[in-house]
Amino acid sequence: MKNLLKSASVFAFLATSLALTSCGSENNDLIDGPDSNTKFNLIINPTNSGNVAERNLNITVTPNVDQKVNVSFTSNENMYRLYVTKNVFGSDDGAIAYEKLESIGIDTKRDGSIDLGSNQKTNFTFNIDFDSPTALDQTVQYKLWVTTGRGDFRDVSKRNAIDANAFGTITLKGGVNADTNVQSLKSFSATLLNAPLAEGTSESFISIFNGVKYKITTQDVKDINTYTFTAAEKEENAENAALWDFGYFYGNTKGASFASASNYPSDVIDINKITGLTSTQLNKCYMVKSSLTTAQFDAISAYAELNSISKPSTERVTGLVANDVIEFIDAYGNKGLIKITEIKTGFTGSIKFDVKVQVNAEPIKG
């Protein structure tokens, strides 16, 4: 299996972005355009929703030769972020933030989106270099959309600056017979979440989509329950919390437990206090203990084998022990299973688990 940290490295490096303010970056001129020598143009605006030729590009390319595209957005509302996701068909990564943009010095937010400048609020054109497939049978697909504020790389409808379904697609095929199977099953193992610590340094939350773990707060504090967070600190924490699906906690009577970000017990961590977000603004993850055995979990190897999972009615599971199997559906419709492999009990303990989850190739559209 691929190294998860490598596949999701964009998230690990975003903390060192050159700027986190909403005023945009002086470095976005690295992809400013258009370039008259570029033959492909992706255009998204309020009046071309039915224009497939402008919003959906299908290009057969030479493997390992990057493809340049002029990307143009126009909106009646101010645009603050551009989201770009990359999906290699058949891989277990799914559609993740396009990490190349951050790596070349483009100003990106914590979720991988591009921070648009003050002169790019109502229209812009970028000339972007897109990674091509590495083989003739491979297909790489990119999705692009703009938002009026912090959006969600898994949901194009959230704060979409044009309309809920406004996004562009660039599909690069390494050859005419390249892979068209967009469904895949992601697996990752030995994930360790720690029980929350008072100073907020513990990695107690996780994104099921990419397996990345997150600290409770990005600030250096002695006690998150007594510390008064500034508006800027809350905003930084909110950027972090927007990527959480669920967290771990240990209770006197509940024992080892998982709870979605929106249903996390406030007497353990008051997420609303440290982020300024309401529960409805946090991710939901529905989960329930399964009747499946660990052997049945281990035997699952295909996307379709998880189709039978129904949406649980609860966002919290408690009293977890080793070898429990949990069924879940996240806020984006991804179905999956969690197998508990080890628990170190107590308020400073931890939990290890394996995950198998369906990967939706396309961000949801409302």
Side-chain angles (χ1 to χ4, degrees):
M1 188 187 72
K2 293 182 178 179
N3 186 316
L4 182 65
L5 294 177
K6 181 179 179 181
S7 68
S9 60
V10 60
F11 298 100
F13 287 102
L14 286 176
T16 61
S17 294
L18 295 176
L20 287 172
T21 62
S22 60
C23 62
S25 168
E26 297 177 356
N27 295 316
N28 286 344
D29 57 3
L30 292 171
I31 53 174
D32 206 6
D35 185 337
S36 60
N37 294 317
T38 299
K39 60 184 290 190
F40 295 105
N41 299 279
L42 186 75
I43 303 170
I44 301 93
N45 58 51
T47 62
N48 75 338
S49 60
N51 194 325
V52 176
E54 290 184 348
R55 286 196 176 189
N56 297 275
L57 304 182
N58 291 281
I59 309 170
T60 301
V61 297
T62 301
N64 298 304
V65 177
D66 290 353
Q67 178 64 61
K68 287 185 176 295
V69 177
N70 289 322
V71 173
S72 299
F73 278 87
T74 301
S75 175
N76 295 325
E77 295 189 60
N78 282 342
M79 301 178 289
Y80 285 87
R81 300 190 186 191
L82 168 65
Y83 282 80
V84 184
T85 62
K86 174 184 177 181
N87 181 28
V88 179
F89 286 10
S91 74
D92 63 0
D93 293 337
I96 62 173
Y98 185 31
E99 62 181 341
K100 184 174 184 177
L101 299 174
E102 194 272 342
S103 69
I104 64 173
I106 303 303
D107 182 30
T108 54
K109 307 297 280 187
R110 192 173 296 276
D111 61 3
S113 58
I114 296 175
D115 193 22
L116 297 172
S118 57
N119 63 334
Q120 298 158 346
K121 292 304 182 208
T122 57
N123 63 80
F124 66 84
T125 299
F126 289 155
N127 185 253
I128 300 179
D129 227 2
F130 292 95
D131 291 339
S132 286
T134 58
L136 285 171
D137 60 351
Q138 190 179 84
T139 297
V140 181
Q141 189 173 80
Y142 298 88
K143 303 284 185 181
L144 302 90
W145 65 96
V146 287
T147 61
T148 57
R150 183 175 57 250
D152 189 330
F153 73 97
R154 296 171 289 189
D155 181 358
V156 301
S157 67
K158 186 173 183 179
R159 297 193 178 101
N160 196 301
I162 299 176
D163 66 59
N165 294 327
F167 67 98
T169 302
I170 300 171
T171 305
L172 305 182
K173 295 183 177 182
V176 293
N177 297 317
D179 186 12
T180 59
N181 179 25
V182 298
Q183 295 182 334
S184 60
L185 182 75
K186 179 195 293 289
S187 299
F188 51 94
S189 303
T191 297
L192 176 67
L193 291 186
N194 298 295
L197 298 177
E199 65 270 26
T201 58
S202 52
E203 292 180 326
S204 302
F205 291 87
I206 189 170
S207 168
I208 279 293
F209 188 82
N210 53 47
V212 175
K213 298 174 290 183
Y214 297 93
K215 293 181 180 179
I216 299 168
T217 178
T218 56
Q219 278 73 49
D220 183 14
V221 301
K222 291 184 178 180
D223 189 337
I224 56 176
N225 291 319
T226 60
Y227 182 80
T228 300
F229 290 90
T230 66
E233 289 171 339
K234 286 183 179 181
E235 174 59 25
E236 189 173 351
N237 284 334
E239 290 282 338
N240 217 34
L243 301 169
W244 300 348
D245 285 318
F246 68 85
Y248 175 64
F249 69 95
Y250 190 88
N252 280 319
T253 58
K254 303 295 186 182
S257 306
F258 287 149
S260 72
S262 72
N263 191 248
Y264 200 86
S266 59
D267 58 343
V268 178
I269 298 172
D270 191 343
I271 299 178
N272 307 132
K273 174 180 178 289
I274 67 174
T275 65
L277 300 175
T278 65
S279 296
T280 57
Q281 293 174 302
L282 295 165
N283 284 332
K284 296 180 178 292
C285 188
Y286 303 91
M287 56 188 79
V288 67
K289 288 185 181 180
S290 174
S291 61
L292 293 178
T293 65
T294 56
Q296 290 172 312
F297 173 96
D298 295 340
I300 290 174
S301 61
Y303 180 103
E305 292 179 82
L306 300 181
N307 284 343
S308 61
I309 294 177
S310 299
K311 182 179 178 179
S313 60
T314 58
E315 296 180 60
R316 193 182 296 187
V317 287
T318 61
L320 296 173
V321 296
N323 296 321
D324 273 348
V325 176
I326 301 163
E327 297 178 6
F328 72 87
I329 296 182
D330 68 14
Y332 312 94
N334 298 300
K335 299 181 177 183
L337 296 171
I338 300 169
K339 181 183 71 173
I340 307 301
T341 58
E342 180 185 324
I343 296 176
K344 293 183 179 179
T345 60
F347 299 107
T348 59
S350 59
I351 188 168
K352 286 186 178 182
F353 53 95
D354 298 341
V355 175
K356 292 185 177 180
V357 59
Q358 291 179 338
V359 176
N360 287 331
E362 182 174 295
I364 63 174
K365 303 186 290 295

